[in-house]
Amino acid sequence: MTKIGIDKIGLALPNYVLDLKDLAAARGIDPNKYTIGLMQEAMAITPVTQDIVTLGAQAAAQILTEEDKATIDMVIVGTETGIDQSKATAVYIHGLLGIQPFARAIELKEACYSAAAGLEFARNHIANRPEAKVLVIASDIAKYGLNSGGEPTQGAGAVAMLVSANPRILELNWDNVYQTRDVMDFWRPNYSPYPKVDGRFSTEQYTDCLQTTFEHYRLQSGKELDDFAAVCLHIPFAKQGLKGLRALQPSPKHEERFFEAIRYNQQVGNIYTGSLFLSLLSLLEQSKALKAGDDILLYSYGSGAVCELFSARLVSGYRDQLMTDRFEQMSKRQRLSMEQYEELFFETIPIDEMGNSPELPEDNSPFVLTKIENHQRIYHKH
Ligand code: HMG
């Protein structure tokens, strides 16, 4: 059987960051609640010139060669921060990146879960066309609103994965199991800029879905937790992932790997569809204990709720495809004051009756939203 999986991983984070100690001070909350209680340090903040298109394109541009762009025949974007009810984000990104025209471009939605489905769709596509490559992007901006319960768990960013035959990072194993249950733990009605959340209920659903799906996975696959060198989970905030992992009665090695797998997430916050893959990237780039041939179990959870468990095997030489200076890159982000955060993150674009916005502020990022003209979002590539 053809080996299919993740050949490259790209990451885009906005240039701004809020330290959660600053948020705690402003909200009159003990900072330990955020740093120990939620196990989070900081959250990535976008200005109005950045959205899921610019972040997604930036993450993908980081990894794609001209040869890749000539070979990709499907672009899948998983997101729950859609910018249009009709046109897919993937179409904008396909255009901005200059991917060959005879490709499919679609957007998938199911809260934080959809990019995991995208990965499996990519694998199935390549199983039929081994010469093809599929670009899977998870791009989101998690905004809960000022003074909301979820405020310390906000974040923004995108992860791009190039899926191909004979991948150089991870080979996807054919062992996916899923669960769907119709619950109202977190959702966002069309008329609302922020999600509605039943916070405690959502944390219970996350863990119960994990436990029950893992039981199903064991029966289906015959594998036990000990068969895995590491477990990567959706990380809405790091403590949630730890509670989920502990519900599976992990070994000390799994807990050690877990702490390597949350390092990026702790500095970024929840990036919804990308959170699981940000954690995977953190594990792969930060762990010295992993080696080729090791299997990693992945848990994707999207409120509403759909979850999936699947595994992947590390390929020989995988480290050559990764970066070693991710923290140095993150340290270049501008730390915002509370005043700047409240202004920047919650700014909305004014649009006149003709559907035009003013020119938006300067932004040197690789891809930028410059204005809205005649109701059309205008992007610029630097
Ligand atoms: P809360 O009510 O503000 O916090 O909201 P809490 O009272 O539950 O405290 C949180 C933790 O801090 C607790 O730890 C406290 O004990 C501890 P735990 O007992 O759970 O281990 N704590 C302290 N620790 C040290 N020093 C202190 C201190 N004070 C308290 N002084 C909640 C927490 C998660 C509900 C809130 O942040 C929220 O609503 N977040 C958004 C929803 C969410 O992230 N849910 C996660 C599961 S659902 C999911 O993952 C899907 C999602 O990504 C969306 C999607 O799929 O699209 C969210």
Side-chain angles (χ1 to χ4, degrees), residues 113 116-117 120 123 172-179 206-218 220-221 223 225 228 230-234 244 248 276 296-301 306-312:
Y113 161 70
E120 178 156 64
R123 186 197 63 195
L172 294 166
N173 298 326
W174 294 76
D175 58 357
N176 305 45
V177 300
Y178 345 87
Q179 179 172 175
Y206 174 106
T207 303
D208 191 65
C209 279
L210 172 58
Q211 278 180 299
T212 50
T213 309
F214 184 66
E215 279 314 307
H216 188 54
Y217 177 83
R218 285 177 61 215
Q220 295 286 316
S221 68
K223 296 180 196 169
L225 204 62
F228 298 99
V231 184
C232 264
L233 306 103
H234 167 54
L248 301 183
L276 167 63
I296 299 170
L297 181 66
L298 293 106
Y299 175 58
S300 174
Y301 176 82
V306 180
C307 71
E308 183 157 336
L309 276 167
F310 59 105
S311 75

Side-chain angles (χ1 to χ4, degrees), residues 10-21:
L11 171 68
L13 298 176
N15 293 332
Y16 302 102
V17 64
L18 182 73
D19 192 304
L20 288 188
K21 289 193 273 307

Side-chain angles (χ1 to χ4, degrees), residues 149-308:
E151 189 180 26
T153 68
Q154 299 173 124
V159 177
M161 293 169 280
L162 187 65
V163 182
S164 71
N166 301 314
R168 285 170 290 179
I169 299 180
L170 280 164
E171 185 191 319
L172 294 166
N173 298 326
W174 294 76
D175 58 357
N176 305 45
V177 300
Y178 345 87
Q179 179 172 175
T180 296
R181 52 170 75 166
D182 187 359
V183 289
M184 298 305 279
D185 61 331
F186 171 110
W187 68 103
R188 183 160 72 83
N190 283 347
Y191 49 79
S192 174
Y194 308 124
K196 309 291 170 196
V197 197
D198 189 338
R200 184 160 297 258
F201 182 54
S202 75
T203 63
E204 290 161 4
Q205 287 300 314
Y206 174 106
T207 303
D208 191 65
C209 279
L210 172 58
Q211 278 180 299
T212 50
T213 309
F214 184 66
E215 279 314 307
H216 188 54
Y217 177 83
R218 285 177 61 215
L219 292 173
Q220 295 286 316
S221 68
K223 296 180 196 169
E224 298 294 334
L225 204 62
D226 250 358
D227 294 326
F228 298 99
V231 184
C232 264
L233 306 103
H234 167 54
I235 303 290
F237 53 92
K239 177 65 112 17
Q240 178 69 66
L242 185 60
K243 283 186 177 175
L245 179 68
R246 285 187 174 157
L248 301 183
Q249 291 157 339
S251 66
K253 91 177 167 198
H254 291 131
E255 290 221 6
E256 280 168 33
R257 298 292 80 73
F258 174 82
F259 283 96
E260 294 158 351
I262 55 169
R263 292 190 63 197
Y264 296 170
N265 304 70
Q266 288 179 310
Q267 302 300 327
V268 173
N270 194 355
I271 56 167
Y272 290 158
T273 48
S275 285
L276 167 63
F277 303 105
L278 180 64
S279 181
L280 175 65
L281 191 63
S282 179
L283 174 74
L284 299 186
E285 292 184 344
Q286 296 301 318
S287 179
K288 300 209 176 354
L290 293 175
K291 57 182 189 322
D294 281 347
D295 276 333
I296 299 170
L297 181 66
L298 293 106
Y299 175 58
S300 174
Y301 176 82
S303 283
V306 180
C307 71
E308 183 157 336

Side-chain angles (χ1 to χ4, degrees), residues 73-90:
D73 71 354
M74 182 145 67
V75 181
I76 300 175
V77 176
T79 186
E80 56 175 301
T81 324
I83 50 159
D84 192 295
Q85 289 284 9
S86 177
K87 181 166 173 163
T89 306

